[in-house]
Amino acid sequence: MSADRETNHDMTNGDITRLLAGAADEVEIGIAPYEAVIRGGRRRKARRWAVAAATTLVLAGSSATLAVAGLPGGDGTVAPAATQSATPAPDLFTPARTTLATGTENGKEWRVAIDVWAAPRTEAQAAGQLEAMGGYGDAPAGGIKASDLVGKRSYLVYFSDGDKRRKTFEDVFTKDDTMSGTDLQTASIPFDTDTDGPERLVIGMVGKKAGQVTCTWEDGTKTKVDRAPEDEETSTDTPAIRPAAGSPVDWFVCLSPEGTSAKSTAVTLVGTTLPAR
């Protein structure tokens, strides 16, 4: 090898070293802001579910917290390039929307749906997400800042009655949240969007192992909601415990008979074996 070739080879290695160093400086490691997440979890009792006016908030279960999976995180390493399939980046600016329940009463169609927004990893991403939320009518209430959303998935639940849509509650899923067993959280709201009552509609979340929820009404009647079978499609016209895209917990909706309202709700079965009817 000539002297010129040796010199050129050394310069190439130097160039590569400098390029790698520069690239490392620009790599954004996906580690969740754990201190912020923990603080958020500790104050969740105070801010749990920003429920709309005239909505009753009911908490039950042992932990009153939510589970979350898939928040940005890792061990601070960068996976080797071109040796594994890259995981597609989540869409931060379009919500995952799931219809939880539908029905018709007195000739009027109604619907309950949830929007879940992926967790932004930086404040700049969160700022863009807040702007996108406004375009979808999902802008959170209460003076939420972009920094409040970093590392957290936001969700907003809506009830629509005919041509009117009402935000019923909103919050975020964080790393510190768990939900299992008979843990349950519900909100009861008026079925008529133009009134403050009676609170006939119950919307709630449960853990992945909840097999049945029972809603008890003020007149003593009950509505049992079973988990939707995984191997078949369950119409949203049929009350069921069902998953929602982007949500680490499952959801259900109960509607009381006319003339009565919500009294209590409980998980009445854990697991997949349903009791005989």
Side-chain angles (χ1 to χ4, degrees), residues 13 15 17 27 60 122 149 159:
N13 284 339
D15 290 342
T17 300
V27 169
T122 67
L149 301 182
F159 170 60

Side-chain angles (χ1 to χ4, degrees), residues 46-73:
R47 65 177 179 80
R48 170 68 63 190
W49 287 18
V51 186
T55 298
T56 300
L57 178 63
V58 181
L59 298 181
S62 61
S63 65
T65 53
L66 304 177
V68 67
L71 285 178

Side-chain angles (χ1 to χ4, degrees), residues 105-205:
E105 183 165 302
N106 297 327
K108 182 182 293 186
E109 294 183 355
W110 60 270
R111 176 183 304 269
V112 176
I114 180 173
D115 283 356
V116 179
W117 293 79
R121 296 170 58 185
T122 67
E123 192 166 336
Q125 290 177 346
Q129 186 177 85
L130 273 176
E131 183 176 353
M133 284 180 171
Y136 279 89
D138 283 0
I144 298 298
K145 304 184 297 293
S147 57
D148 297 327
L149 301 182
V150 176
K152 303 169 188 175
R153 281 183 282 178
S154 304
Y155 68 90
L156 303 94
V157 180
Y158 293 95
F159 170 60
S160 59
D161 180 4
D163 58 353
K164 299 177 181 178
R165 190 176 82 150
R166 176 179 180 178
K167 184 192 299 183
T168 60
F169 46 83
E170 60 188 354
D171 206 343
V172 294
F173 298 120
T174 75
K175 179 72 174 180
D176 196 45
D177 296 327
T178 58
M179 198 171 197
S180 61
T182 58
D183 289 354
L184 170 78
Q185 293 190 44
T186 68
S188 56
I189 65 172
F191 180 73
D192 190 339
T193 56
D194 293 329
T195 69
D196 292 336
E199 294 167 349
R200 298 180 52 206
L201 196 68
V202 175
I203 306 170
M205 58 175 75

